[in-house]
């Protein structure tokens, strides 16, 4: 009532009114949002390269280099460059156990070849020898299968004690290695006979 009347513009209680104006361009991204079609076009990559022959040649060269590196690793025993199926402590333990053991299965192919030749050679000359050769071959096959079962039984117990479990595919990996000639095995054996892994 008495005294000077306050100016409504300068006496506002709103703090936003007292703040200096903010430059909208400084706080925003400074460009419009791209449309969906423009964003998809920017992220799109060609499914087929422009030069197919050059791309195919480069892919073949890369595959060849990878195979060569894997082969060298399997010769030297370097697991870093081996194929995925041969990596890991379990697979190395299986390989060392099989390679340290004398397996009947590793001589299966040469023995089978010899007895099949004998059987075919004596079929007309002496049938008794041909039948005997075939029977001996069957006995050897059965003995090799039993030896493979004994190998797996012992190896499985050691795997459970050392690693706590037997991964899937380990049985086939061990048996297939046991039925290969020692010199033809890949990766190359890294232990001697009777030098079992700890």
């Amino acid at each position: 009532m008495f005294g000077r009347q306050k100016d409504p513009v300068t006496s506002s209680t709103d703090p936003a009114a007292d703040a200096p104006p903010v430059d909208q361009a400084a706080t925003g991204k400074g460009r419009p949002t791209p449309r969906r079609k423009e964003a998809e076009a920017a992220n799109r990559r060609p499914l087929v390269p422009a030069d197919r022959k050059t791309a195919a040649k480069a892919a073949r060269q890369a595959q060849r280099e990878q195979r060569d590196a894997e082969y060298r690793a399997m010769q030297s025993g370097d697991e870093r460059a081996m194929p995925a199926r041969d990596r890991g402590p379990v697979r190395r333990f299986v390989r060392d156990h099989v390679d340290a053991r004398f397996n009947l299965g590793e001589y299966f192919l040469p023995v089978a070849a010899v007895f099949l030749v004998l059987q075919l050679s004596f079929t007309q000359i002496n049938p008794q020898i041909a039948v005997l050769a075939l029977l001996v071959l069957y006995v050897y096959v059965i003995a090799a299968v039993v030896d493979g079962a004994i190998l797996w039984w012992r190896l499985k117990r050691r795997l459970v004690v050392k690693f706590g479990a037997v991964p899937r595919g380990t049985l086939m990996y061990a048996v297939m290695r046991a039925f290969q000639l020692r010199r033809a095995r890949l990766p190359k054996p890294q232990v001697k006979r009777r030098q079992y892994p700890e």
Side-chain angles (χ1 to χ4, degrees), residues 78-196:
D78 184 10
E79 291 192 18
R80 293 173 297 178
M82 284 185 187
R85 65 182 178 85
D86 295 312
R87 294 181 203 157
V90 176
R91 292 300 171 97
R92 184 177 183 85
F93 187 89
V94 170
R95 289 196 304 270
D96 291 346
H97 184 89
V98 172
D99 296 337
R101 186 178 183 272
F102 177 81
N103 305 286
L104 288 176
E106 63 184 285
Y107 300 106
F108 170 73
L109 288 179
V111 168
V114 169
F115 279 100
L116 284 177
V117 169
L118 286 175
Q119 195 266 337
L120 293 175
S121 301
F122 285 92
T123 299
Q124 299 295 333
I125 302 172
N126 194 335
Q128 288 83 7
I129 295 180
V131 171
L132 182 61
L134 192 61
L135 288 177
V136 172
L137 178 59
Y138 282 148
V139 170
Y140 188 86
V141 169
I142 294 173
V145 170
V146 172
D147 184 63
I150 295 173
L151 161 69
W152 174 243
W153 178 66
R154 292 178 177 173
L155 179 59
K156 184 178 180 181
R157 287 196 309 173
R158 298 193 65 191
L159 287 172
V160 170
V161 170
K162 186 173 181 63
F163 299 101
V166 181
R168 179 180 295 180
T170 308
L171 169 61
M172 186 60 63
Y173 187 78
V175 171
M176 291 296 293
R177 190 169 181 87
F179 273 76
Q180 293 175 344
L181 286 170
R182 182 180 173 88
R183 291 184 178 181
R185 292 172 184 167
L186 285 177
K188 288 289 186 182
Q190 302 296 316
V191 296
K192 298 178 180 180
R193 296 281 192 186
R194 306 184 66 82
Q195 188 181 351
Y196 289 96

Side-chain angles (χ1 to χ4, degrees), residues 10-23:
T10 58
S11 63
S12 173
T13 58
D14 186 7
D18 297 334
V22 179
D23 187 7

Side-chain angles (χ1 to χ4, degrees), residues 24-89:
Q24 296 294 333
T27 59
K29 58 187 176 181
R31 56 182 175 80
T33 302
R35 296 183 179 179
R36 182 174 182 177
K37 289 184 179 180
E38 296 173 356
E40 290 177 352
N43 294 329
R44 190 174 295 132
R45 299 288 184 273
L47 297 177
V48 180
D51 191 353
R52 293 187 181 183
K53 290 184 179 180
T54 305
K57 186 177 180 180
R60 286 194 301 268
Q61 180 66 23
Q63 291 175 356
R64 188 180 303 112
E65 291 176 358
Q66 182 180 1
R67 287 195 301 268
D68 292 344
E70 290 177 352
Y71 182 76
R72 288 193 300 269
M74 288 190 291
Q75 292 283 340
S76 63
D78 184 10
E79 291 192 18
R80 293 173 297 178
M82 284 185 187
R85 65 182 178 85
D86 295 312
R87 294 181 203 157

